Amino acid sequence: MRAIMIIGDGMADRPLRELDYKTPLEAAKPEHMDKLASNGISGLLDPIAPGIAPGSDAANLSILGYDPWKIKGRGPFEAAGAGIELEARDVAFRCNLATVNENFIMIDERAGRIREEAGELAKALQNVQLRENSDIKVVFKQTLGFKGALVLRGEGISSNVSATMPNAGDRVCSVKPLDASSEAERTANALNEFVKISHELLKDHPVNRRRIAKEKPPANVVIPWSGAEPLIIQPFYEKYKLKAACIAGASLIKGIAKLSGMSVVDVSGATGDIDTDTMAKANAALRAIESNDLVIVHVEGPDEASHDGNIRGKISIIKKIDSMVGAIIDHVDLAETVVVLLADHVTSLRFRKHTGDPVPIAIASTEVVQDDVRQYNERATCRGGLGRIQGKHVMPLILNLLSIPEKIGG
Ligand code: ZN
Ligand code: ZN
């Protein structure tokens, strides 16, 4: 027995006025997801606990059975997913290429969602040397579009600084130490210096001159946020005795997989956005399940569309995930392979952020007693046989179906 877990990032939502108070999953009418739910047992899942709105780091770690409350920042996962080898005393940050004006006031946190051109800009940011904090080494890596990771390496640094993503209208370069230590002060200074240097290197870059000429926002600064020292997590294999592989475009998810010792399958065409090649992911999943006990297939696109308030985009990526689900369930034997479908959290199109609502989960297998749910969405799965469960229950449910239940007592 083995399992494939399909995660649509931020795929669940609330009812929307624009959709006659249907959710995007209801509006998309995903036939293969509905078939998956019809062939198994469904329910509602609180990724952490009722009413708690998780970041993707907390939600996905919770679903994999790790304690989400131990996470101090997503930076180390982003950096590991970007291919940076972390050292124990590093402080790692997620980064955005963003747009600021000449007074360092934030204009666009994602630089107009810059895509291909971001790679060219990133070349200018290789080998950045800090001048005032020259003993702190800087490693920057751009990942997908406006996203990237930054690692600070050196003696006497600390993650206890106020590195958050400034909102439009806020001043950047305003990272402050959060305690009285010299480490926190040095780190805050180093971050502000890095942001200033990134602006010097990017503001007149030919890519940005072209963007300005086309009236697109220039990606003229790098903003580090959500920093932390690397989190030590128990290797997935040691925890569950399952050989696991992960297929994802988003660096955060790749990083969670790497730091938990899963193998990461690179799929060309996995963009971490709504244009991702979901069929390539389905094929990669079907190949990977031949040599693994568990394959996780993560699709970031619904979350991106939701943060943009893009209703059509969200419905269209749900339909693409539906085709991927179809390609997977049509090629596996549910007597041998358990297929789990869930979202890691709700990302509300209306509010453009994560909320604390539960998400639908469905588990297809011949080993479960089928319930009467015939659709995969927030409303239909309310009536499912799983009832209402939490993120930490997902792995025990899977282990039980794989005939390796956690046992208690004699
Ligand atoms: Zn997420
Ligand atoms: Zn999100």
Side-chain angles (χ1 to χ4, degrees):
M1 294 290 288
R2 52 214 172 172
I4 299 178
M5 176 151 59
I6 302 164
I7 305 174
D9 203 297
M11 181 164 70
D13 211 316
R14 292 178 174 178
L16 286 163
R17 189 200 301 259
E18 294 85 342
L19 299 174
D20 280 337
Y21 291 100
K22 289 191 173 76
T23 70
L25 270 169
E26 289 181 296
K29 297 199 175 81
E31 58 171 312
H32 302 290
M33 294 185 188
D34 291 352
K35 186 175 158 194
L36 190 157
S38 303
N39 279 291
I41 190 167
S42 300
L44 287 178
L45 171 85
D46 289 296
I48 312 284
I52 304 289
S56 284
D57 47 359
N60 285 282
L61 282 163
S62 174
I63 288 161
L64 295 174
Y66 294 102
D67 181 356
W69 299 99
K70 287 201 174 137
I71 304 164
K72 299 265 163 34
R74 65 193 284 164
F77 300 108
E78 296 276 357
I84 301 173
E85 293 291 333
L86 289 166
E87 295 176 12
R89 289 158 71 193
D90 287 346
V91 182
F93 298 82
R94 161 70 196 272
C95 291
N96 278 33
L97 279 163
T99 308
V100 291
N101 71 10
E102 58 285 0
N103 299 319
F104 274 84
I105 302 297
M106 179 63 78
I107 306 293
D108 185 332
E109 296 113 281
R110 289 178 286 195
R113 282 194 163 271
I114 185 168
R115 297 291 299 265
E116 289 76 16
E117 295 164 302
E120 216 177 312
L121 289 173
K123 286 183 196 153
L125 299 164
Q126 297 315 304
N127 312 315
V128 167
Q129 305 256 353
L130 299 180
R131 295 179 290 251
E132 290 157 36
N133 301 278
S134 55
D135 54 332
I136 299 177
K137 188 171 183 274
V138 166
V139 184
F140 172 78
K141 203 145 179 208
Q142 178 255 354
T143 53
L144 294 168
F146 63 89
K147 299 174 183 178
L150 170 77
V151 170
L152 297 184
R153 184 167 292 164
E155 295 296 313
I157 55 173
S158 160
S159 61
N160 206 14
V161 292
S162 66
T164 53
M165 189 60 186
N167 293 318
D170 291 349
R171 215 185 117 73
V172 307
C173 279
S174 52
V175 179
K176 292 187 177 59
L178 291 175
D179 61 43
S181 70
S182 64
E183 288 88 349
E185 188 175 355
R186 246 160 69 79
T187 310
N189 288 339
L191 285 173
N192 289 328
E193 193 187 350
F194 173 79
V195 173
K196 277 191 196 123
I197 292 175
S198 75
H199 185 60
E200 283 167 24
L201 292 168
L202 295 179
K203 66 177 196 281
D204 296 320
H205 194 285
V207 165
N208 279 330
R209 288 181 187 277
R210 284 202 299 274
R211 286 180 69 82
I212 291 165
K214 289 185 196 156
E215 295 187 351
K216 288 182 184 171
N220 60 11
V221 76
V222 179
I223 307 291
W225 54 281
S226 203
E229 287 88 5
L231 188 70
I232 309 292
I233 55 179
Q234 187 186 7
F236 195 81
Y237 185 80
E238 189 184 296
K239 199 168 162 65
Y240 299 117
K241 301 289 177 284
L242 293 180
K243 194 174 166 220
C246 176
I247 296 163
S251 296
L252 172 70
I253 306 299
K254 286 185 181 176
I256 289 175
K258 274 190 191 160
L259 292 180
S260 63
M262 293 181 196
S263 55
V264 177
V265 181
D266 279 314
V267 178
S268 64
T271 63
D273 209 338
I274 60 175
D275 60 354
T276 200
D277 187 347
T278 45
M279 293 319 271
K281 284 190 173 176
N283 291 330
L286 292 169
R287 269 197 306 275
I289 199 61
E290 287 170 14
S291 54
N292 284 282
D293 304 308
L294 173 68
V295 172
I296 293 162
V297 191
H298 177 273
V299 184
E300 176 76 4
D303 187 61
E304 298 290 326
S306 308
H307 286 296
D308 283 348
N310 180 356
I311 297 178
R312 280 175 185 283
K314 185 160 184 175
I315 292 173
S316 104
I317 183 70
I318 288 171
K319 288 183 171 170
K320 282 173 72 174
I321 297 172
D322 188 47
S323 305
M324 181 184 91
V325 168
I328 291 171
I329 54 176
D330 287 349
H331 288 94
V332 298
D333 177 356
L334 293 178
E336 303 294 333
T337 306
V338 178
V339 183
V340 185
L341 174 64
L342 70 160
D344 58 342
H345 49 75
V346 165
T347 311
S348 158
L349 273 163
R350 181 178 173 200
F351 297 104
R352 301 187 178 205
K353 63 177 190 184
H354 302 186
T355 63
D357 309 74
V359 302
I361 176 169
I363 302 176
S365 166
T366 56
E367 294 300 303
V368 298
V369 177
Q370 276 183 23
D371 57 23
D372 295 328
V373 174
R374 295 289 172 264
Q375 290 175 325
Y376 177 81
N377 59 53
E378 300 81 349
R379 203 178 312 267
T381 55
C382 281
R383 299 183 302 274
L386 282 174
R388 187 157 173 165
I389 60 171
Q390 299 190 346
K392 65 183 177 194
H393 298 136
V394 173
M395 282 308 301
L397 285 169
I398 292 176
L399 290 170
N400 182 48
L401 291 171
L402 301 190
S403 305
I404 33 175
E406 277 186 63
K407 270 188 83 187
I408 185 162

